[in-house]
Amino acid sequence: MRRFIFILCCTMAFTLAGCTNAGYDSDIVLSDTMNDEGSEDISDDNCSTGDYATVALTEQENIVVYVCGAVVCPGVYELPPASRADDAVKAAGGFVDGADDTYVNLAAVVEDGTKLMIPTKDEVKNGLVAENTDSTDSFSSNGLININKATKEELKTIPGIGEKVAGKIVDYREQNGNFACIEDIMKVSGIKDKLFSKIKEYITV
């Protein structure tokens, strides 16, 4: 009888221990499952954000600018978006000796189609370009030359406009003020219908 009771007690003890361990293991498994699900949710969010950022960056296109004047290699250059005037000058090889490196605001952001003209110190000193003026203001975002702001040298870049006519345009502005419309440029001596029809696609006010 005592032996039977002993065996019964041992059996009950093992059974209770097994239930307790099973319950403990079940808690661990449940906890691991929740962590895995949580990790998957966080991972999905990160992937979505990363994909969006990649698409946004891909949509940004490079800009094209024309750098001329007192630079080592004048020409047309392709630059990353939001590039500065300083980046454009560096792309053109930097300033040449005698360039007025303070004439242009090198910190200014250049837009697509911008023409950046760097004058020499002598040109500024002799009045061939306006002093303390940012040359990028003489050109609109689509590359047209603003005849109310362009310097003599900039006006000469217009097909059909030479040294003499460019000087007359500058003189006219100084005596009469800005042009109200592009057609008003025909009030300048030497610019008639034929020349105007040739330059109208390159100018703005």
Side-chain angles (χ1 to χ4, degrees):
M1 184 66 181
R2 290 179 179 178
R3 184 177 180 182
F4 174 77
I5 294 174
F6 175 75
I7 293 173
L8 181 62
C9 290
C10 290
T11 301
M12 292 179 64
F14 282 126
T15 301
L16 291 174
C19 291
T20 303
N21 290 338
Y24 181 73
D25 291 342
S26 177
D27 288 343
I28 292 177
V29 172
L30 180 61
S31 176
D32 288 344
T33 302
M34 292 176 65
N35 287 340
D36 288 342
E37 290 178 355
S39 297
E40 289 175 2
D41 291 340
I42 294 174
S43 177
D44 289 342
D45 290 341
N46 289 339
C47 288
S48 298
T49 303
D51 291 341
Y52 178 81
T54 301
V55 172
L57 289 174
T58 303
E59 290 177 351
Q60 295 183 359
E61 297 181 355
N62 287 344
I63 61 172
V64 178
V65 298
Y66 175 39
V67 188
C68 61
V71 290
V72 176
C73 299
V76 177
Y77 294 93
E78 186 173 341
L79 300 172
S83 291
R84 308 283 176 171
D86 183 58
D87 298 318
V89 172
K90 288 178 179 177
F95 297 106
V96 299
D97 291 339
D100 189 341
D101 56 4
T102 63
Y103 181 79
V104 173
N105 178 11
L106 296 177
V109 175
V110 290
E111 299 179 353
D112 183 53
T114 295
K115 179 179 178 181
L116 190 64
M117 197 282 293
I118 307 299
T120 64
K121 293 178 181 178
D122 287 340
E123 287 174 335
V124 175
K125 182 179 179 180
N126 295 328
L128 297 178
V129 291
E131 196 168 358
N132 297 325
T133 301
D134 188 346
S135 67
T136 57
D137 291 341
S138 302
F139 299 86
S140 64
S141 59
N142 57 6
L144 298 179
I145 297 178
N146 189 320
I147 56 177
N148 286 327
K149 298 180 179 180
T151 64
K152 182 178 178 180
E153 291 301 310
E154 290 168 343
L155 290 169
K156 286 166 57 179
T157 65
I158 303 173
I161 300 295
E163 178 85 18
K164 187 176 181 179
V165 176
K168 289 182 177 180
I169 295 173
V170 173
D171 291 340
Y172 181 90
R173 286 193 324 224
E174 293 177 351
Q175 297 172 11
N176 302 281
N178 289 339
F179 300 104
C181 58
I182 62 172
E183 287 77 13
D184 281 350
I185 200 171
M186 288 190 288
K187 296 178 180 179
V188 176
S189 175
I191 301 180
K192 303 300 180 183
D193 291 342
K194 185 177 181 179
L195 179 56
F196 176 73
S197 63
K198 186 177 181 179
I199 67 175
K200 65 181 181 181
E201 296 180 356
Y202 302 94
I203 61 177
T204 186
V205 293

XYZ file of all heavy atoms in Angstrom, residues 29-104:
547
model
N 7.056 30.993 -26.994
C 6.711 30.900 -28.419
C 5.800 32.043 -28.826
O 5.955 32.671 -29.855
C 6.036 29.534 -28.713
C 5.494 29.501 -30.128
C 7.022 28.410 -28.491
N 4.802 32.347 -27.980
C 3.878 33.438 -28.275
C 4.614 34.767 -28.358
O 4.376 35.574 -29.251
C 2.795 33.493 -27.196
C 1.734 34.594 -27.355
C 1.001 34.387 -28.668
C 0.762 34.562 -26.183
N 5.547 34.978 -27.457
C 6.325 36.213 -27.444
C 7.183 36.329 -28.693
O 7.264 37.382 -29.305
C 7.201 36.246 -26.189
O 8.019 37.385 -26.194
N 7.808 35.245 -29.105
C 8.646 35.258 -30.316
C 7.825 35.569 -31.545
O 8.249 36.287 -32.443
C 9.346 33.902 -30.481
C 10.444 33.700 -29.458
O 10.851 34.714 -28.832
O 10.868 32.550 -29.287
N 6.613 35.006 -31.599
C 5.753 35.239 -32.758
C 5.386 36.706 -32.866
O 5.399 37.303 -33.943
C 4.473 34.398 -32.637
O 4.833 33.031 -32.530
C 3.570 34.606 -33.854
N 5.073 37.357 -31.755
C 4.718 38.777 -31.761
C 5.890 39.633 -32.192
O 5.738 40.584 -32.936
C 4.254 39.195 -30.365
C 2.924 38.559 -29.956
S 2.458 38.973 -28.277
C 2.221 40.720 -28.441
N 7.100 39.282 -31.737
C 8.283 40.048 -32.125
C 8.541 39.943 -33.609
O 8.918 40.894 -34.266
C 9.506 39.545 -31.354
C 9.467 39.981 -29.897
O 8.762 40.935 -29.578
N 10.191 39.286 -29.040
N 8.350 38.726 -34.151
C 8.571 38.538 -35.585
C 7.617 39.385 -36.392
O 7.971 40.008 -37.385
C 8.399 37.060 -35.958
C 9.562 36.219 -35.454
O 10.627 36.823 -35.141
O 9.400 34.991 -35.381
N 6.334 39.408 -35.948
C 5.350 40.209 -36.682
C 5.688 41.677 -36.598
O 5.577 42.426 -37.560
C 3.965 39.948 -36.102
C 3.442 38.544 -36.414
C 2.093 38.302 -35.782
O 1.641 39.208 -35.039
O 1.506 37.244 -36.023
N 6.136 42.107 -35.403
C 6.525 43.505 -35.238
C 7.693 43.855 -36.124
O 7.734 44.910 -36.743
N 8.652 42.966 -36.234
C 9.826 43.219 -37.058
C 9.437 43.327 -38.520
O 9.938 44.159 -39.255
C 10.853 42.095 -36.873
O 11.297 42.066 -35.540
N 8.507 42.487 -38.948
C 8.075 42.525 -40.340
C 7.396 43.851 -40.665
O 7.603 44.430 -41.721
C 7.126 41.364 -40.613
C 7.826 40.007 -40.624
C 6.850 38.869 -40.776
O 5.642 39.158 -40.905
O 7.287 37.705 -40.780
N 6.578 44.375 -39.729
C 5.890 45.639 -39.966
C 6.882 46.772 -40.106
O 6.777 47.606 -40.992
C 4.922 45.941 -38.805
C 3.752 44.963 -38.814
O 3.525 44.363 -39.874
O 3.090 44.814 -37.765
N 7.882 46.828 -39.240
C 8.886 47.889 -39.286
C 9.682 47.803 -40.574
O 9.953 48.790 -41.235
C 9.827 47.780 -38.068
C 9.049 48.054 -36.785
C 10.995 48.733 -38.198
C 9.856 47.828 -35.522
N 10.014 46.571 -40.969
C 10.796 46.382 -42.190
C 10.029 46.869 -43.405
O 10.574 47.501 -44.293
C 11.149 44.897 -42.350
O 11.834 44.689 -43.549
N 8.713 46.589 -43.445
C 7.896 47.022 -44.576
C 7.858 48.539 -44.671
O 7.922 49.118 -45.754
C 6.472 46.472 -44.443
C 6.428 44.958 -44.683
O 7.416 44.443 -45.276
O 5.442 44.335 -44.281
N 7.732 49.210 -43.511
C 7.700 50.674 -43.511
C 9.001 51.237 -44.055
O 9.007 52.181 -44.831
C 7.462 51.198 -42.088
C 6.037 50.908 -41.628
O 5.195 50.647 -42.514
O 5.783 50.936 -40.409
N 10.112 50.669 -43.626
C 11.411 51.155 -44.089
C 11.572 50.966 -45.584
O 12.101 51.819 -46.279
C 12.542 50.422 -43.349
C 12.642 50.855 -41.896
O 12.159 51.928 -41.543
N 13.251 50.024 -41.062
N 11.128 49.832 -46.090
C 11.255 49.559 -47.521
C 10.429 50.546 -48.334
O 10.856 51.030 -49.366
C 10.807 48.131 -47.840
S 11.964 46.886 -47.257
N 9.214 50.842 -47.839
C 8.360 51.783 -48.564
C 9.000 53.158 -48.629
O 9.029 53.812 -49.664
C 6.993 51.880 -47.875
O 6.354 50.623 -47.893
N 9.550 53.605 -47.511
C 10.200 54.913 -47.465
C 11.403 54.960 -48.388
O 11.620 55.912 -49.117
C 10.645 55.241 -46.025
O 9.503 55.187 -45.180
C 11.270 56.612 -45.942
N 12.178 53.888 -48.374
C 13.361 53.842 -49.217
C 13.015 53.886 -50.692
O 13.646 54.575 -51.477
N 11.959 53.141 -51.065
C 11.553 53.121 -52.474
C 11.097 54.500 -52.924
O 11.393 54.956 -54.016
C 10.419 52.106 -52.684
C 10.903 50.672 -52.515
O 12.137 50.461 -52.598
O 10.048 49.795 -52.315
N 10.354 55.208 -52.072
C 9.858 56.537 -52.420
C 11.014 57.505 -52.613
O 11.027 58.285 -53.556
C 8.932 57.048 -51.322
C 8.417 58.443 -51.579
C 7.346 58.674 -52.440
C 9.026 59.545 -50.980
C 6.896 59.959 -52.684
C 8.580 60.831 -51.226
C 7.515 61.022 -52.073
O 7.075 62.286 -52.319
N 11.988 57.434 -51.719
C 13.141 58.326 -51.813
C 13.914 58.070 -53.094
O 14.375 58.995 -53.751
C 14.048 58.137 -50.602
N 14.028 56.805 -53.469
C 14.762 56.466 -54.693
C 14.066 57.035 -55.912
O 14.678 57.604 -56.803
C 14.887 54.940 -54.826
O 15.561 54.436 -53.688
C 15.651 54.572 -56.085
N 12.750 56.916 -55.955
C 11.994 57.448 -57.090
C 12.125 58.958 -57.168
O 12.324 59.535 -58.229
C 10.500 57.043 -56.960
C 9.672 57.759 -58.014
C 10.350 55.532 -57.088
N 12.028 59.620 -55.998
C 12.113 61.085 -55.968
C 13.457 61.560 -56.499
O 13.537 62.533 -57.242
C 11.900 61.587 -54.543
N 14.529 60.887 -56.144
C 15.852 61.289 -56.595
C 16.021 61.033 -58.080
O 16.651 61.793 -58.790
C 16.919 60.529 -55.802
C 17.073 60.932 -54.325
C 18.054 59.997 -53.628
C 17.554 62.365 -54.204
N 15.419 59.949 -58.556
C 15.556 59.600 -59.963
C 14.882 60.631 -60.854
O 15.318 60.899 -61.967
C 14.945 58.209 -60.216
O 15.597 57.269 -59.368
C 15.129 57.792 -61.670
N 13.799 61.246 -60.360
C 13.046 62.197 -61.168
C 13.780 63.521 -61.350
O 13.440 64.302 -62.221
C 11.684 62.448 -60.514
C 10.754 61.230 -60.594
C 9.442 61.472 -59.887
O 9.341 62.510 -59.193
O 8.532 60.646 -60.008
N 14.778 63.808 -60.530
C 15.519 65.048 -60.659
C 16.491 64.952 -61.828
O 17.288 64.017 -61.901
C 16.290 65.342 -59.369
C 15.390 65.599 -58.166
C 16.183 65.950 -56.932
O 17.414 65.996 -56.955
N 15.494 66.202 -55.842
N 16.413 65.890 -62.752
C 17.269 65.871 -63.922
C 18.358 66.923 -63.797
O 18.195 67.939 -63.127
C 16.441 66.119 -65.181
C 15.390 65.040 -65.436
C 14.611 65.314 -66.710
O 14.836 66.389 -67.323
O 13.782 64.470 -67.082
N 19.467 66.691 -64.463
C 20.562 67.653 -64.467
C 20.155 68.914 -65.210
O 19.228 68.901 -66.035
C 21.802 67.038 -65.113
C 22.459 65.997 -64.231
O 22.185 65.930 -63.042
N 23.313 65.183 -64.798
N 20.845 70.007 -64.941
C 20.597 71.265 -65.634
C 21.745 71.537 -66.597
O 22.829 70.962 -66.460
C 20.464 72.437 -64.643
C 21.768 72.613 -63.843
C 19.294 72.208 -63.709
C 21.777 73.874 -62.988
N 21.495 72.388 -67.575
C 22.511 72.751 -68.562
C 22.711 74.263 -68.520
O 21.739 75.026 -68.585
C 22.090 72.325 -69.983
C 23.134 72.760 -71.000
C 21.893 70.810 -70.044
N 23.963 74.702 -68.367
C 24.264 76.127 -68.290
C 25.382 76.477 -69.276
O 26.193 75.624 -69.632
C 24.700 76.540 -66.865
C 23.587 76.285 -65.874
C 25.950 75.797 -66.438
N 25.379 77.727 -69.709
C 26.413 78.226 -70.619
C 27.291 79.201 -69.849
O 26.821 80.227 -69.367
C 25.767 78.911 -71.821
C 26.740 79.570 -72.765
C 27.963 78.983 -73.079
C 26.441 80.788 -73.378
C 28.855 79.578 -73.950
C 27.318 81.394 -74.260
C 28.528 80.779 -74.532
O 29.419 81.382 -75.403
N 28.567 78.874 -69.733
C 29.519 79.719 -69.018
C 30.463 80.351 -70.043
O 31.092 79.636 -70.832
C 30.339 78.909 -67.985
C 31.177 79.847 -67.128
C 29.424 78.062 -67.120
N 30.542 81.666 -70.043
C 31.390 82.341 -71.022
C 32.126 83.514 -70.365
O 31.935 83.799 -69.190
C 30.569 82.847 -72.207
S 29.288 84.043 -71.756
N 32.967 84.168 -71.147
C 33.714 85.301 -70.613
C 35.085 84.882 -70.105
O 35.763 84.042 -70.719
N 35.476 85.423 -68.966
C 36.828 85.238 -68.443
C 36.982 83.943 -67.638
O 37.308 83.951 -66.450
C 37.210 86.441 -67.589
N 36.716 82.814 -68.316
C 36.931 81.496 -67.713
C 37.874 80.706 -68.624
O 38.037 81.038 -69.800
C 35.610 80.728 -67.517
C 34.764 81.365 -66.437
C 34.835 80.632 -68.829
N 38.484 79.668 -68.088
C 39.484 78.911 -68.842
C 38.882 78.227 -70.063
O 39.442 78.283 -71.162
C 40.159 77.867 -67.926
C 41.135 77.000 -68.728
C 40.892 78.555 -66.784
N 37.742 77.578 -69.880
C 37.121 76.823 -70.979
C 35.643 77.191 -71.117
O 34.770 76.472 -70.606
C 37.255 75.319 -70.744
S 38.950 74.728 -70.648
N 35.330 78.308 -71.787
C 33.927 78.679 -71.980
C 33.179 77.575 -72.728
O 33.733 76.919 -73.603
C 34.015 79.959 -72.830
C 35.406 80.475 -72.592
C 36.262 79.262 -72.425
N 31.931 77.379 -72.367
C 31.144 76.365 -73.056
C 29.882 76.015 -72.304
O 29.535 76.634 -71.295
N 29.200 74.998 -72.826
C 27.945 74.529 -72.238
C 28.254 73.323 -71.351
O 28.920 72.382 -71.784
C 26.939 74.134 -73.333
C 25.661 73.574 -72.708
C 26.611 75.339 -74.215
N 27.750 73.359 -70.119
C 28.062 72.307 -69.153
C 26.796 71.771 -68.495
O 25.848 72.512 -68.246
C 29.018 72.827 -68.075
C 30.373 73.174 -68.626
C 30.662 74.483 -69.050
C 31.362 72.202 -68.754
C 31.907 74.797 -69.575
C 32.608 72.514 -69.281
C 32.880 73.813 -69.687
O 34.102 74.122 -70.218
N 26.811 70.463 -68.238
C 25.704 69.807 -67.552
C 26.075 69.653 -66.080
O 27.140 69.118 -65.744
C 25.436 68.435 -68.172
C 24.201 67.743 -67.617
C 23.860 66.466 -68.370
O 24.344 66.308 -69.513
O 23.122 65.637 -67.807
N 25.183 70.137 -65.203
C 25.453 70.146 -63.763
C 24.295 69.498 -63.003
O 23.173 69.433 -63.516
C 25.646 71.578 -63.270
C 26.790 72.396 -63.887
C 26.703 73.833 -63.416
C 28.138 71.788 -63.530
N 24.548 69.042 -61.786
C 23.471 68.480 -60.957
C 22.451 69.556 -60.580
O 22.764 70.752 -60.604
C 24.214 67.973 -59.708
C 25.643 67.830 -60.131
C 25.871 68.915 -61.148
N 21.231 69.158 -60.242
C 20.216 70.135 -59.809
C 20.700 70.935 -58.612
O 21.486 70.443 -57.798
C 19.015 69.249 -59.436
C 19.242 67.970 -60.164
C 20.722 67.776 -60.237
N 20.236 72.183 -58.513
C 20.565 73.082 -57.395
C 22.052 73.429 -57.327
O 22.567 73.760 -56.266
C 20.110 72.483 -56.064
N 22.749 73.365 -58.474
C 24.162 73.757 -58.495
C 24.285 75.270 -58.331
O 23.357 76.023 -58.656
C 24.819 73.338 -59.806
O 24.942 71.941 -59.888
N 25.419 75.713 -57.834
C 25.677 77.139 -57.623
C 26.497 77.694 -58.785
O 27.075 76.943 -59.592
C 26.444 77.335 -56.314
C 25.800 76.651 -55.119
C 24.611 77.414 -54.602
N 23.926 76.713 -53.519
C 22.968 77.248 -52.777
N 22.599 78.504 -52.977
N 22.368 76.548 -51.818
N 26.561 79.010 -58.851
C 27.367 79.653 -59.888
C 28.825 79.233 -59.761
O 29.538 79.078 -60.754
C 27.232 81.171 -59.781
N 29.263 79.026 -58.534
C 30.637 78.578 -58.293
C 30.894 77.221 -58.946
O 31.969 76.979 -59.505
C 30.891 78.501 -56.788
C 32.325 78.101 -56.457
O 33.246 78.804 -56.900
O 32.517 77.086 -55.766
N 29.903 76.320 -58.903
C 30.036 75.009 -59.535
C 30.172 75.157 -61.050
O 30.943 74.440 -61.696
C 28.822 74.136 -59.211
C 28.681 73.873 -57.724
O 29.713 73.625 -57.081
O 27.551 73.926 -57.214
N 29.413 76.097 -61.620
C 29.458 76.323 -63.061
C 30.822 76.862 -63.495
O 31.383 76.437 -64.508
C 28.352 77.295 -63.471
N 31.354 77.799 -62.711
C 32.672 78.361 -63.019
C 33.753 77.284 -62.930
O 34.638 77.189 -63.785
C 33.006 79.536 -62.081
C 34.446 79.994 -62.263
C 32.056 80.706 -62.328
N 33.669 76.443 -61.910
C 34.647 75.372 -61.754
C 34.562 74.377 -62.904
O 35.579 73.851 -63.371
C 34.431 74.653 -60.420
C 34.848 75.473 -59.212
C 34.568 74.726 -57.908
C 35.008 75.541 -56.703
N 34.670 74.859 -55.422
N 33.337 74.106 -63.379
C 33.162 73.198 -64.506
C 33.827 73.749 -65.760
O 34.307 72.990 -66.616
C 31.672 72.958 -64.764
N 33.870 75.086 -65.865
C 34.500 75.743 -67.011
C 35.992 75.968 -66.807
O 36.617 76.741 -67.532
C 33.803 77.069 -67.298
N 36.568 75.334 -65.805
C 38.007 75.417 -65.592
C 38.455 76.505 -64.644
O 39.651 76.669 -64.404
N 37.507 77.280 -64.123
C 37.857 78.353 -63.201
C 38.114 79.673 -63.897
O 38.005 79.795 -65.120
N 38.456 80.681 -63.129
C 38.706 82.018 -63.665
C 40.070 82.095 -64.361
O 41.023 81.422 -63.960
C 38.686 83.056 -62.539
C 37.364 83.176 -61.831
C 37.201 82.665 -60.546
C 36.285 83.802 -62.439
C 35.993 82.780 -59.876
C 35.075 83.917 -61.776
C 34.925 83.404 -60.494
N 40.153 82.944 -65.380
C 41.444 83.240 -65.994
C 42.062 84.420 -65.257
O 41.398 85.095 -64.471
C 41.290 83.584 -67.493
C 40.690 82.420 -68.265
C 40.432 84.842 -67.681
N 43.332 84.679 -65.504
C 43.982 85.841 -64.894
C 43.290 87.119 -65.353
O 42.997 87.293 -66.544
C 45.462 85.886 -65.298
C 46.257 84.746 -64.675
O 45.793 84.194 -63.664
O 47.336 84.417 -65.224
N 43.000 87.993 -64.410
C 42.348 89.253 -64.749
C 40.839 89.205 -64.652
O 40.172 90.231 -64.817
N 40.267 88.027 -64.390
C 38.813 87.921 -64.265
C 38.343 88.607 -62.991
O 39.033 88.584 -61.969
C 38.398 86.460 -64.259
N 37.178 89.215 -63.058
C 36.597 89.823 -61.863
C 35.809 88.733 -61.144
O 34.642 88.479 -61.442
C 35.685 90.986 -62.241
C 35.227 91.786 -61.023
O 35.310 91.232 -59.907
O 34.807 92.932 -61.184
N 36.458 88.076 -60.181
C 35.829 86.941 -59.503
C 34.819 87.362 -58.443
O 34.231 86.518 -57.757
C 36.891 86.033 -58.875
C 37.814 86.788 -57.926
O 37.586 87.992 -57.698
O 38.767 86.166 -57.426
N 34.585 88.676 -58.300
C 33.578 89.154 -57.355
C 32.336 89.696 -58.069
O 31.376 90.107 -57.430
C 34.155 90.280 -56.463
O 34.503 91.415 -57.281
C 35.391 89.799 -55.719
N 32.361 89.687 -59.383
C 31.262 90.276 -60.160
C 29.978 89.455 -60.044
O 28.891 89.994 -59.881
C 31.680 90.379 -61.627
C 30.648 91.002 -62.525
C 30.474 92.380 -62.569
C 29.834 90.214 -63.332
C 29.520 92.955 -63.388
C 28.881 90.775 -64.154
C 28.724 92.151 -64.179
O 27.774 92.707 -64.988
N 30.120 88.148 -60.091
C 28.962 87.254 -60.020
C 28.815 86.711 -58.608
O 29.806 86.416 -57.945
C 29.122 86.085 -61.017
C 28.014 85.046 -60.834
C 29.107 86.598 -62.441
